[in-house]
Amino acid sequence: MRLAPQPSAHPLRLVVLLLLLAVGSSASPVLASGCPDRCVCDDQLVVQCAGQHLTTFPVNLPLATRQLIISNNRIVELPPLALNYLSDLVYLDCSNNSLMEISESTFGNLHRLAYLDLSFNTLSRIEDRTFGPLASLVMLRMTDNPGLSEIHQDAFAENEALQVLDVSRNNLTALNISSLIALPSLRSVGLSGNPWSCECDNEDLCLWVHLEGFKFQDEGQTVCGSPPDMQGRRLGEVGIQLRTLCHHTLGSWDYLFFVAIGFVIFAAGTVSAWLMGVVMVLYERYIKKKEEQLDVDEEEEEEGEDRAGDRTGRATRSRSDHGNGNLKMTHTV
């Protein structure tokens, strides 16, 4: 039996530390002059705007910014035009704001971004390719968005460098894992605090948690929210159970479907038999009429032959009588 590797106690801190070391060791371009109001900019290309009661995204950011921290404000939107000028950005913390939507174009030019935190916002849905441009993304945190109930199945399909994904404490009931299980570097997933559905439509997620339990540091707190008889049970526990139930048990809709199919087959058979009977009756009538017509034709032909024979006989007798008369005249002479 293969033993699952134990997860690190502080994965977030380790990844952040590695990112900071990478940023510090890279060559630093000249920092653009100026700094946004109520923000602090240093010579390490870090712009710190946390807790400044900002309601809009800061303007006049240095174009060479590597780290941008705008957490603990009241920002409602990330403007793609302003954000995509920061092509060297590797660390972006937008946690604890009022962000309601992230569009496909929001991160269109952030190809070097490795850390992104969208926790404690008001997101409701993650669309297709929202994170597609983030080819270098290593860590993504989207926890504590109470209205987040849907994540598109291909939202992470292009994030092959993703190692840590945390979507804990949202309002997710189901998650299509087709793109997640294909990520080669993914090693840590947080799912706890969501009202997960433990029904057949979420079977793949439950089975994944069961088979890859070492990837889920909060597996013990990742529990079912529905149906009622599954509430509180761990997703990993019900994975095998769902595999059995969902492939061997027929539901009421299945039985209704079979009844409907049976009725359709019965009706089709009845109609087909009726049509076949009608065709056979018509065919028999046609054959009978044709035979009667042939009999009539034969009778007429025979009558015609009889009449012809009578005419021939009369002609023969007439010639015979004429010959006899001539003989009598000869004798008389």
Side-chain angles (χ1 to χ4, degrees):
M1 179 177 179
R2 183 173 64 89
L3 295 177
Q6 296 298 320
S8 173
H10 304 287
L12 178 58
R13 295 180 182 177
L14 290 176
V15 173
V16 173
L17 180 60
L18 291 174
L19 291 173
L20 292 176
L21 289 174
V23 171
S25 62
S26 59
S28 300
V30 177
L31 187 64
S33 60
C35 189
D37 292 339
R38 293 185 281 180
C39 297
V40 177
C41 304
D42 62 25
D43 56 1
Q44 296 299 318
L45 309 177
V46 177
V47 179
Q48 174 65 259
C49 305
Q52 298 300 313
H53 307 289
L54 300 176
T55 57
T56 59
F57 190 78
V59 296
N60 299 323
L61 284 164
L63 298 182
T65 300
R66 294 294 184 89
Q67 297 184 54
L68 175 59
I69 303 170
I70 55 174
S71 58
N72 301 302
N73 287 294
R74 297 191 296 273
I75 299 173
V76 298
E77 181 185 8
L78 295 178
L81 185 61
L83 192 59
N84 287 323
Y85 279 120
L86 308 177
S87 58
D88 291 328
L89 197 65
V90 296
Y91 184 103
L92 177 60
D93 185 353
C94 304
S95 61
N96 200 12
N97 276 285
S98 301
L99 300 176
M100 295 182 293
E101 182 181 4
I102 302 294
S103 68
E104 181 180 338
S105 60
T106 300
F107 307 115
N109 196 38
L110 303 184
H111 304 299
R112 298 184 181 181
L113 190 68
Y115 177 90
L116 175 61
D117 194 343
L118 298 170
S119 301
F120 294 94
N121 279 283
T122 57
L123 301 175
S124 60
R125 172 180 167 80
I126 301 300
E127 302 287 349
D128 181 21
R129 298 199 76 257
T130 297
F131 307 111
L134 305 180
S136 301
L137 189 64
V138 173
M139 176 176 288
L140 174 59
R141 301 187 72 246
M142 290 192 298
T143 69
D144 301 278
N145 284 267
L148 182 56
S149 59
E150 185 176 356
I151 297 178
H152 193 278
Q153 64 180 19
D154 296 324
F156 313 109
E158 300 177 47
N159 304 116
E160 294 188 358
L162 190 64
Q163 297 183 24
V164 180
L165 172 65
D166 195 350
V167 291
S168 304
R169 299 177 298 280
N170 293 308
N171 194 35
L172 297 169
T173 58
L175 182 64
N176 190 308
I177 63 170
S178 57
S179 61
L180 287 177
I181 60 178
L183 296 178
S185 302
L186 190 65
R187 60 178 179 82
S188 178
V189 183
L191 301 175
S192 63
N194 288 285
W196 296 110
S197 168
C198 290
E199 300 190 57
C200 292
D201 58 351
N202 213 25
E203 173 197 348
D204 290 342
L205 174 62
C206 297
L207 195 61
W208 186 41
V209 175
H210 172 78
L211 296 175
E212 305 284 344
F214 65 91
K215 291 184 178 180
F216 304 92
Q217 299 182 28
D218 56 358
E219 192 269 338
Q221 290 76 45
T222 305
V223 298
C224 304
S226 63
D229 59 335
M230 293 281 194
Q231 284 184 355
R233 295 187 59 183
R234 293 160 55 184
L235 264 65
E237 290 180 351
V238 303
I240 295 296
Q241 181 179 349
L242 286 180
R243 172 64 75 181
T244 303
L245 291 175
C246 296
H247 294 275
H248 291 85
T249 302
L250 296 178
S252 57
W253 284 106
D254 297 314
Y255 289 111
L256 183 62
F257 173 77
F258 287 130
V259 170
I261 289 296
F263 175 78
V264 170
I265 293 174
F266 172 77
T270 302
V271 172
S272 299
W274 180 79
L275 290 175
M276 185 64 70
V278 171
V279 171
M280 291 300 296
V281 169
L282 293 176
Y283 179 75
E284 288 179 359
R285 289 183 179 179
Y286 170 76
I287 294 297
K288 188 174 182 181
K289 180 181 281 189
K290 193 169 184 179
E291 290 177 351
E292 291 177 350
Q293 184 65 39
L294 288 174
D295 292 341
V296 170
D297 292 343
E298 289 177 357
E299 290 178 357
E300 291 179 351
E301 185 176 348
E302 290 176 357
E303 290 178 356
E305 291 177 354
D306 292 342
R307 287 195 294 269
D310 291 341
R311 287 195 295 269
T312 302
R314 287 196 296 270
T316 302
R317 287 195 296 272
S318 176
R319 286 195 296 271
S320 177
D321 294 341
H322 182 71
N324 292 334
N326 291 334
L327 288 174
K328 289 180 180 180
M329 290 178 62
T330 303
H331 289 301
T332 304
V333 173

